[in-house]
Amino acid sequence: MIEGLWTTLKSFFSKPVTISYPEEKRPVRVRFKGRHTLKRYDNGLEKCIGCALCAAACPADAIFVEAAENTDAARYSPGERYASTYEINMLRCIFCGFCEDACPTEDIVLGDNYELSFVDRAASIYTKDLLLEPVAEGGQLTPQETPPGVFTRSVPAMQDPSD
């Protein structure tokens, strides 16, 4: 009984472990996976090419991607296609990071924002507008008008390794 009282008295005078959350926020760990962000290039074009590999890799089936073709009059990404619809259902997402690993253009990134709250189910579906990062200084919003043939891809000829 005296040991229990002694333990109580020791903890009574020690510094509390809890923090006042809204006023004081602890930094997150390096490997923390929080809210998703869709990245842009420096010129403002979106990195997402609409390949839907992130949706295929998602074990919770939380991602929906619908692709459309880029044109010279309205260019959203440097490739032939872009994601016309990109949605993540945050109620389904388990923040595993498989979408981040599957993306060939390193477009989707799980950041450090953990403050997610919803008042209804519709608010839990994050659309492309909510996920896209702001345009960098000197960049332009999408869609951009580009001269014909600027973003055409050409595969370089393979060189002989003996050269």
Side-chain angles (χ1 to χ4, degrees):
M1 179 166 152
I2 294 182
E3 290 177 26
L5 182 62
W6 176 246
T7 304
T8 303
L9 288 174
K10 277 194 318 188
S11 65
F12 184 74
F13 294 108
S14 64
K15 185 179 176 183
V17 179
T18 59
I19 60 171
S20 300
Y21 164 64
E23 294 82 23
E24 181 182 342
K25 296 179 184 173
R26 289 181 45 193
V28 295
R29 305 286 188 236
V30 176
R31 295 178 57 184
F32 180 79
K33 294 178 181 1
R35 184 181 176 276
H36 304 71
T37 305
L38 295 177
K39 296 291 184 182
R40 292 181 183 264
Y41 290 105
D42 292 335
N43 62 359
L45 289 175
E46 302 165 9
K47 284 190 172 185
C48 184
I49 56 173
C51 66
L53 288 174
C54 54
C58 183
D61 196 26
I63 302 175
F64 174 73
V65 180
E66 189 173 72
E69 297 289 325
N70 273 317
T71 62
D72 292 330
R75 180 158 302 277
Y76 291 86
S77 70
E80 296 173 4
R81 299 182 314 164
Y82 71 98
S84 60
T85 305
Y86 196 103
E87 296 176 345
I88 299 179
N89 187 342
M90 292 299 193
L91 291 177
R92 287 184 142 190
C93 181
I94 59 174
F95 299 94
C96 62
F98 289 170
C99 55
E100 189 176 22
D101 296 336
C103 185
T105 60
E106 298 178 352
D107 171 45
I108 189 164
V109 175
L110 277 74
D112 59 355
N113 185 355
Y114 53 86
E115 297 176 313
L116 304 171
S117 62
F118 319 111
V119 292
D120 58 357
R121 287 185 178 265
S124 69
I125 298 175
Y126 279 37
T127 60
K128 183 177 168 181
D129 297 333
L130 293 171
L131 295 169
L132 267 172
E133 72 179 359
V135 178
E137 180 109 11
Q140 300 175 11
L141 282 174
T142 51
Q144 297 178 6
E145 188 172 341
T146 56
V150 170
F151 288 101
T152 57
R153 293 187 190 181
S154 61
V155 179
M158 300 239 348
Q159 293 183 350
D160 187 19
S162 61
D163 289 342

